Amino acid sequence: NSISSNDLILTAGPSISQREMIYSSDAAINGWNTKWSKYITKFENEFANYIGVKYAISTSSCTGAMHIALMSLGIKSGDEVIVPDITWVSTANAVRLVGAVPIFADVDINTWTLDPVSVEKLITNKTKAIMPVHLYGHPCEMDKIKKISIKYKIPIIEDAAQAIGTKYKNKFVGTFGEVGCFSAHPLKNLNAIGDAGYLVTNNNKLAKKAKLLRNHGIEKRNKVLTFGYVSRMDNLQASVLNIRLKKIKKIIKTRRSNAKLYFTLLQNLKKVILPIDNKFDFNTYHTFVIQAEKRNELKSYLEKKGISTAIHYPI
């Protein structure tokens, strides 16, 4: 018998509690004029405290956060930015948005994260940033990438879209470079009800510039200081994120528990390669990704059994 869409075990779905509905209703009803940023300010302060940075700046998406980060660092047309050759397209798109050229480095075949050896080989006098991506919740080898950054005096912009709460050597990803960028898309571990994002930094100058750039370059209501974009998070998304942030440790614990179950049940399967973590990693498993020789056949088989799957990322 065929499986209906209602019977499928989905790869992701909404998880909104009664309390989140109450907060979002309050934001929708009262979140303008004097209260327009009530939940935004609260979220920025509490996330900065959670991850241990001076500044958290909310944006409309992680792509928006990366775009603003690149602009804040003065990266422009003709510059080069090193990115991994396997990631979601927004990493490279953000580079192109400022007119720079994405230079694609290899990834480690075991972790799917940026290979530091490949990065160093690609550095030229045009290289103005390195953008490691903590793909699927798995951390990059940030100690090695940081050494390259210091050696060549090239800033790091971390794409931590899929890695809220992920750690490398007991330090949160997103805090190793000049700027860390996160996503609050509904599919993420810390999710809003629509698209949203945020960036973090310890650099006061970068934080001030990012705040200007996300809001038309406006410092106060009518004081335009520079060219800018509309890349603000709205109060409605922030209201939900405030509640979700309080649950984040529990959410990550559940994700890691589920991953442990997958490892146990799938470890003896032939022709299936499971993710690999090393002793320094704290993977939050935004996605549990396996490699299979006949992935399309496996995908069809699982869907016939009522289990939805996805290919990350098609190549």
Side-chain angles (χ1 to χ4, degrees):
N1 296 330
S2 61
I3 301 293
S4 72
S5 59
N6 292 332
D7 296 325
L8 276 175
I9 300 173
L10 299 174
T11 56
S15 176
I16 304 296
S17 70
Q18 186 68 28
R19 192 176 181 193
E20 288 155 339
M21 291 173 66
I22 292 170
Y23 271 54
S24 60
S25 295
D26 176 60
I29 295 168
N30 301 307
W32 193 239
N33 291 324
T34 58
K35 296 182 179 179
W36 74 270
S37 63
K38 172 184 174 182
Y39 292 108
I40 295 170
T41 302
K42 180 177 173 61
F43 173 71
E44 290 178 337
N45 290 339
E46 292 194 357
F47 187 79
N49 183 62
Y50 163 75
I51 202 170
V53 296
K54 291 181 180 178
Y55 310 101
I57 300 163
S58 57
T59 59
S60 58
S61 66
C62 186
T63 305
M66 291 188 289
H67 183 200
I68 288 168
L70 288 158
M71 289 187 68
S72 297
L73 284 165
I75 295 166
K76 58 189 184 303
S77 179
D79 293 339
E80 295 178 352
V81 178
I82 296 176
V83 303
D85 59 5
I86 295 180
T87 180
W88 178 234
V89 68
S90 63
T91 313
N93 277 349
V95 175
R96 293 298 298 133
L97 282 170
V98 297
V101 180
I103 304 297
F104 296 97
D106 291 336
V107 297
D108 185 306
I109 197 167
N110 294 312
T111 65
W112 302 108
T113 60
L114 198 59
D115 178 4
V117 174
S118 180
V119 168
E120 189 160 18
K121 289 179 180 178
L122 293 172
I123 290 173
T124 70
N125 59 5
K126 292 183 179 181
T127 307
K128 302 302 178 184
I130 301 169
M131 291 185 73
V133 180
H134 306 290
L135 200 63
Y136 310 135
H138 196 294
C140 300
E141 291 185 278
M142 289 310 300
D143 53 352
K144 295 179 181 179
I145 294 172
K146 188 73 176 178
K147 284 180 181 179
I148 294 170
S149 166
I150 293 169
K151 178 180 178 181
Y152 295 96
K153 299 180 180 179
I154 299 171
I156 295 170
I157 301 172
E158 292 176 75
D159 179 347
Q162 301 180 2
I164 170 66
T166 292
K167 295 179 182 178
Y168 179 72
K169 293 188 175 180
N170 209 35
K171 180 179 171 69
F172 281 116
V173 300
T175 65
F176 286 88
E178 278 63 35
V179 185
C181 302
F182 296 85
S183 171
H185 183 277
L187 294 179
K188 303 302 187 293
N189 289 3
L190 178 61
N191 62 292
I193 53 178
D195 214 342
Y198 41 99
L199 63 87
V200 300
T201 183
N202 285 312
N203 186 306
N204 178 262
K205 184 178 179 181
L206 286 177
K208 286 183 177 179
K209 193 164 186 180
K211 287 178 180 179
L212 286 174
L213 290 169
R214 71 171 176 181
N215 188 34
H216 294 291
I218 298 173
E219 182 180 49
K220 295 181 180 179
R221 187 170 181 84
N222 294 310
K223 190 175 182 181
V224 181
L225 297 183
T226 186
F227 173 78
Y229 292 86
V230 183
S231 190
R232 303 181 298 261
M233 181 188 292
D234 65 71
N235 211 34
L236 182 64
Q237 308 307 328
S239 69
V240 173
L241 287 172
N242 277 293
I243 303 299
R244 298 288 289 178
L245 185 57
K246 295 181 189 303
K247 303 177 183 178
I248 191 61
K249 290 182 181 179
K250 182 178 180 181
I251 292 168
I252 290 171
K253 184 178 180 180
T254 301
R255 290 270 184 162
R256 286 176 57 81
S257 177
N258 290 343
K260 186 176 180 180
L261 184 61
Y262 286 140
F263 278 119
T264 300
L265 297 176
L266 302 178
Q267 62 182 334
N268 295 322
L269 287 181
K270 295 179 180 179
K271 299 183 179 180
V272 170
I273 301 174
L274 301 178
I276 293 176
D277 289 343
N278 68 47
K279 63 181 180 179
F280 301 124
D281 299 335
F282 183 83
N283 191 335
T284 51
Y285 293 103
H286 160 265
T287 309
F288 191 92
V289 178
I290 65 170
Q291 299 173 64
E293 275 189 25
K294 298 182 178 180
R295 69 180 185 185
N296 292 330
E297 290 89 335
L298 178 58
K299 181 176 173 64
S300 296
Y301 172 80
L302 290 172
E303 288 183 355
K304 286 177 182 177
K305 296 292 184 180
I307 302 170
S308 177
T309 62
I311 296 174
H312 293 267
Y313 290 98
I315 56 174

